Amino acid sequence: MSVPFSTSHYHFVSTSNFPNLYHPPPSPPPPTPPMGKGGSLSDGVVKKIILSYTYVATWIFLSFTVIVYNKYILDRKLYNWPFPISLTMIHMAFCSSLAIIAVRVFKLVEPAALSRRVYLTSVVPIGALYSLSLWLSNSAYIYLSVSFIQMLKALMPVAVYSIGILFKKDSFKSNTMLNMLAISIGVAIAAYGEAKYDSWGVFLQLGAVVFEATRLVMIQILLTSKGINLNPITSLYYVAPSCFAFLSIPWIFVEYPKLKQNSGFHFDFVIFGTNSICAFALNLAVFLLVGKTSALTMNVAGVVKDWLLIAFSWSVIKDTVTPVNLIGYGLAFLGVAYYNHLKLQALKAKEAQKKAQSADEEAGKLLQEREGDGNGNGRKGDSQA
């Protein structure tokens, strides 16, 4: 199993070979690019390359924007609106509304055939896990820097692999566990070198990683194993409302009393509207990126985005990034890269095996047809004799 270790939020659909709501068909090996005159690439190939880079740039920009925008809104030193549950509920309400309009009004996509029982037993638990993941991850922005949060999120493959073993969706392998240990050590070194370390913020972010990893595994158990696959729009259509409902429970007790006392607050439609649009657009960008390229492309783009966020956090937001931070995250980064490499090799081997099996089956069918034709001709010759 593999997971795109993207560090942005609001990916209702993770898109990789790991348990997901959306499973694009495996990409065939790229054909030899057609050449134009003088050995140059044809216009069609150049156009595809430009489009691929456009999808990557769009996803990086939107993912980057959502993370920085959330930090800006929640940070007490910036916009100073430290209500992560309320912010997440705004996003859920906005995404739910657009998804319902797309499905019910404009009928852009067909809703999945889900019974009430399947929805309550499969989709609702995933919505609960997702609400906890978003709540805790957004809360961490109040206490930790953007750069340090990106470093902590490198633990995602460790959490996914461990929970996969716990739920018997993955098997224990000593070399993989050593890889997970290397990632964990790298993150621990980065935490040791953090200039503005906050234990509560680290607890929140690690909790978000655990809930997100559990959600990914439960998608495999509750949805994918039943043949239920949802695209980004139908995912929002089904998951976002349940996520909003679960978030409303802690909101009533934790944030509503504080908001009620804050009589001077006026809802800023520009800030929260554009922030919600970015969150919704990010999900569509995920669909385009993986649907038009591959999950591996998203993984590589995620690594680029993480380093850009760390650089932005250091240079623009003026967060402190120490040499020990970079050494620790560098080690974790190498561990994650190696893990993705192993998964890519396993995926290639699996695809090669499928092709070999398909070729064998095709050869067997042709042989049977020839034998059938031969027997038919033989019987015809006998009858004529």
Side-chain angles (χ1 to χ4, degrees), residues 5-25:
F5 305 118
S6 167
T7 52
S8 58
H9 305 311
Y10 308 108
H11 287 195
F12 288 86
V13 279
S14 300
T15 42
S16 74
N17 190 45
F18 187 74
N20 302 310
L21 295 178
Y22 170 65
H23 287 274

Side-chain angles (χ1 to χ4, degrees), residues 161-199:
Y161 181 67
S162 302
I163 293 172
I165 293 174
L166 183 65
F167 284 94
K168 298 182 179 179
K169 299 304 295 183
D170 209 337
S171 57
F172 177 86
K173 297 177 182 177
S174 57
N175 58 340
T176 304
M177 188 55 71
L178 286 174
N179 191 7
M180 298 298 106
L181 182 61
I183 296 172
S184 302
I185 292 173
V187 173
I189 293 172
Y192 178 78
E194 175 61 19
K196 297 179 181 179
Y197 183 87
D198 186 287
S199 298

Side-chain angles (χ1 to χ4, degrees), residues 104-328:
R104 292 296 183 185
V105 179
F106 294 106
K107 300 186 184 300
L108 298 177
V109 293
E110 288 292 327
L114 297 180
S115 65
R116 183 185 297 273
R117 179 177 174 277
V118 171
Y119 180 80
L120 292 176
T121 58
S122 299
V123 177
V124 170
I126 291 170
L129 290 167
Y130 196 52
S131 64
L132 289 168
S133 172
L134 291 176
W135 171 19
L136 296 183
S137 60
N138 278 334
S139 298
Y141 284 111
I142 301 173
Y143 305 96
L144 303 176
S145 66
V146 170
S147 58
F148 187 43
I149 286 176
Q150 304 313 118
M151 296 175 190
L152 290 175
K153 286 179 180 179
L155 286 171
M156 181 61 74
V158 180
V160 168
Y161 181 67
S162 302
I163 293 172
I165 293 174
L166 183 65
F167 284 94
K168 298 182 179 179
K169 299 304 295 183
D170 209 337
S171 57
F172 177 86
K173 297 177 182 177
S174 57
N175 58 340
T176 304
M177 188 55 71
L178 286 174
N179 191 7
M180 298 298 106
L181 182 61
I183 296 172
S184 302
I185 292 173
V187 173
I189 293 172
Y192 178 78
E194 175 61 19
K196 297 179 181 179
Y197 183 87
D198 186 287
S199 298
W200 179 243
V202 171
F203 173 78
L204 290 172
Q205 184 54 52
L206 293 181
V209 168
V210 170
F211 283 119
E212 177 64 9
T214 306
R215 181 183 76 94
L216 293 173
V217 175
M218 295 308 292
I219 287 172
Q220 174 73 2
I221 295 173
L222 299 178
L223 290 181
T224 310
S225 62
K226 299 177 182 178
I228 302 172
N229 294 301
L230 307 175
N231 63 43
I233 299 297
T234 51
S235 297
L236 293 170
Y237 178 75
Y238 289 110
V239 177
S242 66
C243 192
F244 180 91
F246 279 109
L247 286 168
S248 64
I249 298 172
W251 178 79
I252 292 173
F253 299 100
V254 177
E255 293 187 1
Y256 175 69
K258 296 178 182 178
L259 288 168
K260 194 175 181 181
Q261 292 175 357
N262 189 5
S263 57
F265 173 75
H266 299 284
F267 190 84
D268 192 329
F269 285 95
V270 174
I271 291 291
F272 294 104
T274 53
N275 183 241
S276 298
I277 289 172
C278 289
F280 181 80
L282 178 59
N283 285 278
L284 300 184
V286 171
F287 175 77
L288 282 174
L289 179 61
V290 180
K292 301 297 183 181
T293 58
S294 68
L296 178 62
T297 302
M298 183 175 171
N299 280 348
V300 175
V303 171
V304 174
K305 183 207 65 185
D306 289 345
W307 284 107
L308 286 174
L309 277 167
I310 291 172
F312 180 87
S313 177
W314 171 73
S315 61
V316 179
I317 305 178
K318 302 300 180 183
D319 288 332
T320 303
V321 179
T322 67
V324 179
N325 273 149
L326 295 177
I327 292 171

